[in-house]
Amino acid sequence: LNDVDEELQMYKEANAIYRLAYGQDHPYVAGTRKNIGMVLAERGEYEASMNQFEKAKSIYLAVNDGNEESRDVASAISCMANVKNR
């Protein structure tokens, strides 16, 4: 199907629903932010992509009491590294 615009729209819709249901600082919100970031990176929107990954990382840090030794924090950092490599 390869419809990146529709993919992005669906992730944004999911993110909005998660924010309403769980609040801004929930891991589900962070997860959709990472997904949005990956789509933005695919579109070449690297700065916007990094912004999404940073927000996801911040959420993961908040829910882990600032502990960086978390698989979720590591995952967000890994996504940022992927964009830096482009």
Side-chain angles (χ1 to χ4, degrees), residues 50-63:
M50 290 296 283
N51 187 346
Q52 291 297 318
F53 298 140
E54 287 287 351
K55 288 179 179 179
K57 179 184 170 191
S58 293
I59 293 168
Y60 290 138
L61 283 169
V63 299

Side-chain angles (χ1 to χ4, degrees), residues 8 11-12 15 32-41 52:
L8 181 59
Y11 282 137
K12 286 181 176 182
N15 186 271
T32 55
R33 286 196 177 278
K34 283 190 339 186
N35 291 337
I36 291 167
M38 291 306 293
V39 175
L40 291 172
Q52 291 297 318

Side-chain angles (χ1 to χ4, degrees), residues 18 27 33 60 65 68 72 79 85-86:
Y18 284 142
R33 286 196 177 278
Y60 290 138
D65 297 321
E68 291 187 345
D72 293 325
C79 288
N85 190 38
R86 295 177 187 234

